[in-house]
Amino acid sequence: MSDLLQRLRDRGWRLTAQRRVIAEVLEGEHVHFTADEVHARAVERLPEISRASVYNTLGELVSIGEVVEVTTDGRAKRYDPNAHQPHQHLVCSGCGVIRDVHLSGDPMGALPEGERFGFSVSEVSVTYYGRCPACAGAGVG
Amino acid sequence: MSDLLQRLRDRGWRLTAQRRVIAEVLEGEHVHFTADEVHARAVERLPEISRASVYNTLGELVSIGEVVEVTTDGRAKRYDPNAHQPHQHLVCSGCGVIRDVHLSGDPMGALPEGERFGFSVSEVSVTYYGRCPACAGAGVG
DNA sequence: TTAGTTGCAAAGGCTTTGCACGCGC
DNA sequence: GCGCGTGCAAAGCCTTTGCAACTAA
């Protein structure tokens, strides 16, 4: 579940400085950066990295399944490197912080057969909204 | 659950032609238009209506709770007038069509206390992804 | 060597904003 | 008549794209 970099090497990825830096930025728990935040952090390590490369790389990481795209209610998409452990999200409606959470049952089972309209259902996304301790205390939002 | 227009009147809303037309466009089951689709349909009834008014009105309907904003993976937000009956969504990853669905249990209960990180959780959004019968048959997407 | 990656800058889609005019109440 | 709502056009944010130069393998 760690060492995204190693997995990318194993896949035979062409490992450029830009891609390495982006992978490094994405290490950690509860990491859910926007493309722009990834870019800002990448620039600290590699000043000449461009936004286009960040978008390209994130898009590829998503398409090979190493990163998951998260769309909360805000504008910009966020990128979640925790792609190998099924989980859902808890979002603070005050400050927007996201935590990974794990549910007690399989949410797929909550959709009755009679509610499937003939679809072949393959995925489910569950997002909880609330206030984090800091925002609840400060009355933010 | 029907007659959005009447509810708006009861709220003392200033009822302009534009707002009336937008409310009319939003009547019906399984309606999940983007702002632009609402505008296109509104134009058929009131050719001079502007996009800005559509955005303004939709934004207000959302903030007073008469319409729910739906963010699927696509780009543009969609607007769901079925705000008074709790429900979730089933999205076709082929053509993007959305159906309202009703779950067998309360998804809020699936988040264990130990996974709440001190948040006061107030809402949950559940979205299922799959292929509608048409797209499954045609191999679209 | 060479195919894939990068940076730049421009364009694109969706949404918001500023301001003068118009209209519901 | 007053104040909010509207239309227009321009700007804004996030993202994608075209293309020549570059570089990992």
Side-chain angles (χ1 to χ4, degrees), chain A residues 4-63:
Chain A
L4 171 58
L5 223 49
Q6 189 54 53
R7 285 199 304 278
L8 295 178
R9 259 187 284 265
D10 294 347
R11 283 173 182 274
W13 249 43
R14 188 166 186 160
L15 201 47
T16 64
Q18 290 83 346
R19 289 175 164 196
R20 180 181 45 74
V21 164
I22 291 171
E24 286 170 4
V25 167
L26 289 176
E27 291 289 350
E29 290 287 314
H30 302 293
V31 169
H32 308 90
F33 294 139
T34 62
D36 216 54
E37 287 167 351
V38 172
H39 179 248
R41 281 166 178 74
V43 161
E44 293 172 7
R45 299 164 185 237
L46 186 68
E48 56 279 349
I49 192 171
S50 74
R51 246 172 264 272
S53 293
V54 172
Y55 278 105
N56 286 343
T57 303
L58 288 174
E60 262 191 85
L61 289 172
V62 168
S63 73

Side-chain angles (χ1 to χ4, degrees), chain A:
Chain A
M1 72 186 201
S2 63
D3 217 2
L4 171 58
L5 223 49
Q6 189 54 53
R7 285 199 304 278
L8 295 178
R9 259 187 284 265
D10 294 347
R11 283 173 182 274
W13 249 43
R14 188 166 186 160
L15 201 47
T16 64
Q18 290 83 346
R19 289 175 164 196
R20 180 181 45 74
V21 164
I22 291 171
E24 286 170 4
V25 167
L26 289 176
E27 291 289 350
E29 290 287 314
H30 302 293
V31 169
H32 308 90
F33 294 139
T34 62
D36 216 54
E37 287 167 351
V38 172
H39 179 248
R41 281 166 178 74
V43 161
E44 293 172 7
R45 299 164 185 237
L46 186 68
E48 56 279 349
I49 192 171
S50 74
R51 246 172 264 272
S53 293
V54 172
Y55 278 105
N56 286 343
T57 303
L58 288 174
E60 262 191 85
L61 289 172
V62 168
S63 73
I64 66 177
E66 287 291 351
V67 165
V68 174
E69 221 172 68
V70 180
T71 308
T72 66
D73 280 349
R75 272 231 221 46
K77 294 178 211 155
R78 292 179 173 274
Y79 295 88
D80 182 350
N82 186 8
H84 293 291
Q85 189 186 20
H87 66 277
Q88 308 300 335
H89 293 115
L90 170 56
V91 180
C92 176
S93 41
C95 62
V97 70
I98 304 180
R99 310 297 306 238
D100 290 354
V101 294
H102 302 89
L103 306 193
S104 58
D106 178 13
M108 196 61 90
L111 184 63
E113 198 53 52
E115 290 282 307
R116 300 199 176 197
F117 296 95
F119 281 53
S120 61
V121 184
S122 54
E123 265 186 88
V124 56
S125 147
V126 184
T127 307
Y128 294 87
Y129 295 91
R131 307 197 153 255
C132 70
C135 287
V140 173

Side-chain angles (χ1 to χ4, degrees), chain B residues 46-110:
Chain B
L46 186 67
E48 57 279 349
I49 192 171
S50 74
R51 248 172 262 272
S53 292
V54 172
Y55 277 105
N56 286 343
T57 303
L58 288 175
E60 262 190 86
L61 289 172
V62 168
S63 74
I64 66 177
E66 288 290 351
V67 165
V68 174
E69 221 173 68
V70 180
T71 308
T72 66
D73 279 348
R75 273 233 220 43
K77 295 177 210 157
R78 293 180 172 273
Y79 295 88
D80 181 351
N82 186 8
H84 294 290
Q85 189 185 20
H87 66 279
Q88 308 300 336
H89 294 115
L90 171 57
V91 179
C92 176
S93 41
C95 63
V97 70
I98 303 180
R99 310 296 306 239
D100 290 354
V101 294
H102 301 89
L103 306 192
S104 60
D106 177 14
M108 196 61 89

